[in-house]
Amino acid sequence: MPRQSTPNGTGGSLAELLAKVRTCRVCRDRPIGPQLPHEPRPVLRADATATLCIAGQAPGTRVHATGVPFNDPSGDRLRQWMGIERPKFYDASRVAIVPMGFCFPGLSGAGADLPPRGECADTWHDAIFARLLALRLILAIGAFAQAYHLPGRAGANLTETVRNWREIAAATAAEDGRKIIPLPHSSWRNSGWLKKNRWFEAELLPALRAAIADAIG
C-alpha cells in the first residue's frame, strides 16, 4: 500500500484536501518536465465514507471536456466489468474515483493519450489515501496505478500483474484489510489483449463482481 504520510501543504480534512486538489496548477506552474499543454482541470471524486476506490490512469479528452470521470466508452466497459450501473458508480459516498493523474495529460504525436502526470501522485496521493479510511477494495487499473498501489508486488508487466490477481488480492487484504485487484485499462484499444487472455473474463470478472458487491453492498 502507499505510504501513509502527509506532504507539506496537504493537511486538513479530506474535503479541504480535495478543494485544494481541484485548484491545483502544479503541472502548469511548477511542472516536472514539459508543462501541461492546456489549462488544468482535475477530475476525481471521493468521500470519507467510500468503501471502494477506482484507481485509474488519467482523464481522456471526453472526460476533460465534461469533468465527469469515466464518461466515455472505457467507462461503459469498466461498469460492465464491475457489474454496476451509473448511479451506483457515481455515488461518491460509496465509490471513490482517484486516478494517478487528475488532469488530461495531452496527446502524443501519434494521437494517443500521454502517460499520467507525475506531479499528481507526488503532491497529493499519499495524503488522499491516508484519509480514505473506510476503503475495503481498490481497483488498480493499468500499470501506473499498479506501480503506486502495489509496490513490490507488481509484476514485470501488466499481464503478469493482472494474472497474479488472486495472490495480490489475498495478500493485500491480509495486510491491512484493503483488498487490491489489478485490472487492465478498460480502453477499447485493449480489445486484443482481452482476446488473448480469455481467463480475464472467465475467472477474474466473476471474482471482481463478488468483491465489489461485498465492498459496497
Side-chain angles (χ1 to χ4, degrees):
M1 283 297 298
R3 302 179 306 278
Q4 300 298 298
S5 60
T6 303
N8 291 336
T10 56
S13 68
L14 177 61
E16 292 169 333
L17 185 61
L18 294 179
K20 294 177 182 178
V21 172
R22 293 187 175 104
T23 61
C24 180
R25 293 184 52 84
V26 172
C27 54
R28 285 283 289 185
D29 299 342
R30 300 184 303 280
I32 300 172
Q35 187 183 59
L36 187 75
H38 48 260
E39 283 298 302
R41 188 178 191 180
V43 178
L44 74 163
R45 295 186 178 207
D47 189 279
T49 62
T51 53
L52 165 64
C53 178
I54 299 168
Q57 300 283 87
T61 53
R62 187 176 300 184
V63 172
H64 177 69
T66 63
V68 179
F70 287 102
N71 187 33
D72 53 20
S74 69
D76 295 337
R77 173 177 264 179
L78 178 60
R79 285 182 284 274
Q80 181 184 32
W81 287 355
M82 296 171 66
I84 65 175
E85 301 297 326
R86 288 178 67 97
K88 186 177 289 188
F89 184 86
Y90 289 118
D91 180 357
S93 69
R94 293 193 283 183
V95 180
I97 303 176
V98 185
M100 293 308 300
F102 298 141
C103 292
F104 171 54
L107 298 173
S108 70
D113 289 0
L114 291 170
R117 301 284 306 200
E119 295 92 339
C120 297
D122 288 350
T123 306
W124 303 110
H125 278 58
D126 287 357
I128 290 172
F129 282 96
R131 288 161 175 78
L132 290 173
L133 299 179
L135 288 183
R136 299 173 59 191
L137 176 63
I138 297 174
L139 309 185
I141 301 173
F144 289 95
Q146 289 157 16
Y148 176 79
H149 289 282
L150 297 169
R153 289 198 171 97
N157 54 53
L158 181 140
T159 300
E160 182 178 315
T161 302
V162 178
R163 190 182 292 276
N164 197 35
W165 64 272
R166 291 183 182 85
E167 291 77 9
I168 289 172
T172 52
E175 184 175 272
D176 67 356
R178 292 183 177 185
K179 180 185 292 185
I180 302 177
I181 297 179
L183 299 173
H185 197 280
S186 53
S187 168
W188 292 94
R189 293 173 184 261
N190 282 338
S191 295
W193 186 94
L194 295 172
K195 291 180 180 178
K196 292 179 183 178
N197 297 278
R198 298 289 187 180
W199 52 266
F200 175 78
E201 292 189 354
E203 301 171 20
L204 194 158
L205 289 191
L208 173 69
R209 291 165 184 159
I212 290 170
D214 182 63
I216 65 174

